[in-house]
């Protein structure tokens, strides 16, 4: 609801002097209506700006109470149209609204919320009683206002100076802190760099010490092996029924010597194996592995070691198509099984295998002594044997050696054991060896295209791996007929050929190739596990060379291809 403004005061600007009166009255009206000091000055200044330019004008002060109380000042003058209304713009900045209509200017400014009709009435009464003062009075009021304004400006400036000083001090503090932190950071960095240098040096020293240890082990083992072998040989000679007869005591003593020497030789061999594995001198002989045969052989040879109360249960392994080193794999498993049989008095020693993704897992589990938790990490350390456990001979080298071999084969050996309940050792191996690391110094020999003819997919896969980086493309054939077809079609630069294949021997392909001018010149390498004495020399005459599958290594392939690429 809007309430019509009620007049509070009326006046006419009859002379120049009245501009001062207008200013003064404006301030008085503002004060009577409860405006604060600043607003009073605003109203007074706005009116004096306008009053200067409208001599003879009539000025009406009115106040509207109601929900949004406001002051309305109407300045009416017939001469308004001709005026340069610069003062109106100035007043506009001081009031809420300044509107110029036909012959009047209307200025509005909000009043405090509590101004009501009663307060407006009181203001009107107060103003009716007060009389305007002189120009001089108004000038002194203005002066006072100016002084007050100046004081306020000064106070603001002082406060600003104070704030600036504080800010500068804070800045200095921040800079000091920053410098200190930077220095600390630099010092820490230097420390870290020094630490790393020391670490590098330490690990170089460790590496050297480790290499020295491996060299020492290898040398000592070699040196020990010769005399021990001699002792065994000589003892055998003495015990030979064809030698001079011995007393039964002498025979008994020599039996003991022979037994001890055999033990000693076994230990020395353990040492030598480990030294070789550590120095990386064992290079796996990759080849397809018949897991069932390996498991069968281990079952057969180790069963006699089991105590009567222990069952050796070797499961049938899955047909995994594993490509690895049969000898090394057998050594690892024999080691694990021998330990299990050694440390199990009753129950079972079992071995089983399964495939998961691209890996084969073989677990050897027993229901034996188990290994105390505190010792579990240490049993893979060289020479470590569990203290307090039954002394069962051994060197403490079996497990570290097995783990080394597992690593060499691209796999890992892990263990879980519950003291008193038993242990499970799990070997995980990649089904296929990773692309072999090339340790050749020079560049690899290069051929455009190779053909591999072999019925065994694992063997083909192995060759493909061994040819990585050497042959631009590798084609595969699973039998002689498709081998010939591919050879004629693709003209490979080299052929790797298996001998024993269902549906036709490799020798037939050799003969067929030799009979066709087009392909007769392609070098063929025979790679076979077959017994070569089964073949006549002329059957293999067209082969560039014959390689036993066991000797098929990266090195061998590099050398063979280098021979033809030259
Ligand atoms: P060792 O030649 O003494 O058998 P290993 O390195 O093979 O050397 O084993 C180290 C030690 O780990 C063994 O002496 C034995 O205390 C403990 N150990 C290994 N395998 C087993 C097992 N299956 N059950 C209980 N203890 C075992």
């Amino acid at each position: 609801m809007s309430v019509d403004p009620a007049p509070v005061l009326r006046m006419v600007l009859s002379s120049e002097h009245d501009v001062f009166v207008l200013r003064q009255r404006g301030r008085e009206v503002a004060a009577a209506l409860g405006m604060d000091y600043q607003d009073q000055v605003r109203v007074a200044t706005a009116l004096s700006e306008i009053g200067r330019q409208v001599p003879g004008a009539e000025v009406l002060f009115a106040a509207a109470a109601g929900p949004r109380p406001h002051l309305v000042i109407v300045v009416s003058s017939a001469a308004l149209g001709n005026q340069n209304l610069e003062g109106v713009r100035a007043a506009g900045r001081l009031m809420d609204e300044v509107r110029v209509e036909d012959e009047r200017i209307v200025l509005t400014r909000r009043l405090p919320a509590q101004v009501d009709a009663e307060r407006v009435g009181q203001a009107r009464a107060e103003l009716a009683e007060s009389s305007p003062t002189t120009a001089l009075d108004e000038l002194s009021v203005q002066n006072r206002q100016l002084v007050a304004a100046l004081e306020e400006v000064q106070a603001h400036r002082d406060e600003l100076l104070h704030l600036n000083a504080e800010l500068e001090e804070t800045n200095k503090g921040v800079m000091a802190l920053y410098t200190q932190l930077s220095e600390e950071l630099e010092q820490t960095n230097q420390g870290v760099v020094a630490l790393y240098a020391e670490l590098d040096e330490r690990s170089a020293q460790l590496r050297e010490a480790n290499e020295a240890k491996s060299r020492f082990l290898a040398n000592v083992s070699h040196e020990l092996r010769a005399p021990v072998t001699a002792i065994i040989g000589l003892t055998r000679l003495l015990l030979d029924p064809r030698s001079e007869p011995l007393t039964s005591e002498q025979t008994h003593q020599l039996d003991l010597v022979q037994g001890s020497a055999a033990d000693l030789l076994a230990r020395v061999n353990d040492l030598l194996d480990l030294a070789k594995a550590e120095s990386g001198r064992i290079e796996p002989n990759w080849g397809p592995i018949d897991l069932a045969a390996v498991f069968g052989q281990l079952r057969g040879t180790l069963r006699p070691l089991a105590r009567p109360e222990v069952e050796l249960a070797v499961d049938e392994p899955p047909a995994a198509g594993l490509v690895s080193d049969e000898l090394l794999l057998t050594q690892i498993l024999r080691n694990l099984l021998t330990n299990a049989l050694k440390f199990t008095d009753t129950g079972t020693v079992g071995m089983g295998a399964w495939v998961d993704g691209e890996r084969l897992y073989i677990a050897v589990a027993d229901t034996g002594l188990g290994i105390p938790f505190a010792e579990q990490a240490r049993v893979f350390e060289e020479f470590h044997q569990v203290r307090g456990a039954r002394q069962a001979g051994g060197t403490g080298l079996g497990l570290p050696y097995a783990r080394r071999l597992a690593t060499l084969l691209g796999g890992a050996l892990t263990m879980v054991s519950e003291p008193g309940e038993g242990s499970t050792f799990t070997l995980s191996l990649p089904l296929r060896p990773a692309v072999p690391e090339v340790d050749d110094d020079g560049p690899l020999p290069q051929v455009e295209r190779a053909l591999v003819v072999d019925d065994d997919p694992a063997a083909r896969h192995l060759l493909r791996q061994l040819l990585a980086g050497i042959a631009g493309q590798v084609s595969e054939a699973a039998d002689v007929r498709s081998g010939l077809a591919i050879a004629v079609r693709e003209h490979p630069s080299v052929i790797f050929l298996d001998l024993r294949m269902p549906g036709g021997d490799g020798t037939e392909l050799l003969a067929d190739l030799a009979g066709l001018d087009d392909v007769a010149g392609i070098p063929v390498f025979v790679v076979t596990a077959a017994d070569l004495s089964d073949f006549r020399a002329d059957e293999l005459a067209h082969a560039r060379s014959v390689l036993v599958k066991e000797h098929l290594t990266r090195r061998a392939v590099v050398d063979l291809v280098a021979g033809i690429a030259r």
Side-chain angles (χ1 to χ4, degrees):
M1 188 185 69
S2 108
V3 176
D4 283 338
V8 181
L9 183 72
R10 205 184 288 273
M11 64 174 285
V12 177
L13 305 182
S14 30
S15 68
E16 237 172 71
H17 162 79
D18 285 341
V19 177
F20 291 104
V21 179
L22 175 63
R23 192 174 199 288
Q24 180 209 2
R25 290 309 242 172
R27 195 176 61 251
E28 282 171 1
V29 169
L33 288 169
M35 284 179 154
D36 63 18
Y37 180 70
Q38 285 221 352
D39 266 0
Q40 293 171 24
V41 176
R42 279 169 181 273
V43 172
T45 312
L47 282 176
S48 76
E49 283 295 316
I50 288 180
R52 277 189 296 124
Q53 297 182 330
V54 282
E58 184 192 294
V59 181
L60 168 69
F61 294 90
R68 276 194 303 280
H70 54 277
L71 167 69
V72 182
I73 305 166
V74 183
V75 181
S76 316
S77 163
L80 205 58
N82 313 326
Q83 299 295 326
N84 169 9
L85 295 180
E86 202 181 302
V88 170
R89 266 193 297 281
R93 289 206 292 272
L94 298 163
M95 302 296 280
D96 289 338
E97 191 187 31
V98 176
R99 217 165 54 239
V100 180
E101 295 171 357
D102 272 351
E103 291 186 343
R104 51 191 216 155
I105 303 170
V106 183
L107 303 93
T108 327
R109 179 78 185 167
R110 65 187 167 278
L111 286 170
Q114 67 275 13
V115 172
D116 52 11
E118 196 186 334
R119 177 73 191 253
V120 174
Q122 276 174 9
R124 188 184 312 115
E126 272 174 33
L127 290 161
E129 276 179 21
S130 74
S131 51
T133 45
T134 63
L136 219 56
D137 290 340
E138 181 54 22
L139 196 63
S140 85
V141 171
Q142 261 198 45
N143 272 346
R144 277 202 303 280
Q145 285 174 352
L146 196 63
V147 169
L150 280 175
E151 275 170 2
E152 201 170 328
V153 169
Q154 184 63 40
H156 275 307
R157 188 180 295 158
D158 288 350
E159 196 178 343
L160 211 60
L161 281 176
H162 178 67
L163 277 179
N164 261 345
E166 265 183 20
L167 202 65
E168 207 163 303
E169 219 164 83
T170 313
N171 266 350
K172 277 189 197 145
V174 170
M175 282 311 291
L177 200 64
Y178 175 78
T179 315
Q180 192 183 342
L181 281 179
S182 301
E183 277 168 14
E184 274 175 25
L185 196 67
E186 200 166 316
Q187 273 171 11
T188 313
N189 275 350
Q190 281 170 359
V192 171
V193 169
L195 208 62
Y196 267 100
E198 196 178 321
L199 264 181
D200 280 350
E201 201 176 306
R202 285 278 156 83
S203 38
Q205 283 170 356
L206 265 181
R207 222 174 13 253
E208 272 171 31
N210 207 28
E211 280 165 11
K213 186 202 70 184
S214 297
R215 264 199 313 280
F216 171 77
L217 280 182
N219 292 340
V220 167
S221 320
H222 258 301
E223 297 301 315
L224 286 179
R225 211 139 68 136
V228 177
T229 321
I231 296 173
I232 291 174
L234 290 171
T235 326
R236 195 179 302 124
L237 218 59
L238 284 171
L239 285 170
D240 192 322
R242 285 164 297 180
S243 305
E244 295 278 305
L246 300 172
T247 66
S248 65
E249 180 53 24
Q250 282 171 330
T251 311
H252 174 61
Q253 286 172 355
L254 277 177
D255 275 340
L256 291 178
V257 171
Q258 194 175 37
S260 299
D263 263 2
L264 187 54
L265 185 63
R267 309 276 151 86
V268 169
N269 281 339
D270 273 1
L271 273 177
L272 198 60
D273 282 344
L274 183 70
K276 268 190 0 198
E278 282 203 338
S279 62
R281 266 181 289 145
I282 296 181
E283 200 190 320
N285 248 329
W286 302 105
I289 292 189
D290 181 352
L291 259 191
V294 171
F295 275 36
Q297 188 210 341
L298 285 167
R299 191 190 297 119
T301 52
L302 296 179
R303 185 159 284 146
L305 296 186
R307 295 183 172 78
E309 301 80 10
V310 175
E311 186 199 355
L312 174 61
V314 175
D315 295 348
E316 272 308 304
L322 174 69
V323 174
S324 193
D325 182 312
E326 187 169 321
L327 209 70
L328 300 186
L329 174 61
T330 310
Q331 274 184 25
I332 299 174
L333 297 178
R334 188 185 299 117
N335 240 312
L336 298 179
L337 286 167
T338 316
N339 273 349
L341 290 167
K342 210 159 51 167
F343 296 104
T344 306
D345 292 334
T346 55
T348 330
V349 169
M351 178 161 79
W354 68 97
V355 173
D356 188 2
E358 280 303 299
R359 290 184 94 73
L360 171 75
Y361 294 83
I362 305 179
V364 174
D366 65 57
T367 56
L369 286 186
I371 299 171
F373 293 115
E375 303 270 358
Q376 294 192 354
R378 303 207 56 197
V379 292
F380 288 103
E381 289 173 14
E382 288 153 28
F383 305 111
H384 188 80
Q385 294 186 303
V386 174
R387 247 174 293 138
R390 187 182 43 225
Q391 287 305 305
T395 49
L397 288 174
L399 288 179
Y401 180 50
R403 183 169 266 184
R404 278 270 161 199
L405 294 186
T407 313
L408 266 178
L409 296 179
L413 180 60
T414 54
M415 173 206 52
V416 282
S417 183
E418 187 72 34
E421 302 278 324
S423 318
T424 301
F425 288 81
T426 307
L427 169 69
S428 85
L429 290 178
L431 283 179
R432 315 252 181 275
V435 176
E437 286 285 312
V438 183
D439 51 0
D440 312 79
D441 299 333
L444 291 171
Q446 300 290 320
V447 289
E448 208 170 294
R449 191 186 284 274
L451 167 62
V452 177
V453 188
D454 196 317
D455 59 314
D456 180 355
R460 292 202 301 272
H461 178 85
L462 175 63
L463 258 165
R464 182 183 279 282
Q465 298 280 353
L466 295 178
L467 283 164
I470 297 176
Q473 272 189 318
V474 179
S475 306
E476 293 181 21
D479 57 55
V480 167
R481 224 154 35 91
S482 45
L484 182 65
I486 295 175
V488 169
R489 191 172 65 236
E490 295 185 350
H491 284 256
S493 334
V494 59
I495 299 175
F496 289 86
L497 174 64
D498 183 30
L499 285 185
R500 292 272 185 248
M501 282 180 283
D505 260 5
T507 50
E508 292 172 27
L509 182 59
L510 276 174
D512 289 347
L513 289 171
L516 293 170
D517 284 351
D518 215 13
V519 288
I522 300 176
V524 180
F525 297 117
V526 167
V527 181
T528 180
D531 185 350
L532 289 177
S533 58
D534 291 352
F535 297 89
R536 295 193 315 275
D538 64 302
E539 281 182 311
L540 297 172
H542 296 299
R544 179 64 72 96
S545 61
V546 179
L547 194 73
V548 183
K549 264 189 184 165
E550 262 186 22
H551 297 157
L552 187 62
T553 59
R554 172 73 166 181
R555 180 80 260 157
V557 171
V558 169
D559 290 346
L560 288 177
V561 176
I564 57 162
R566 214 172 273 140

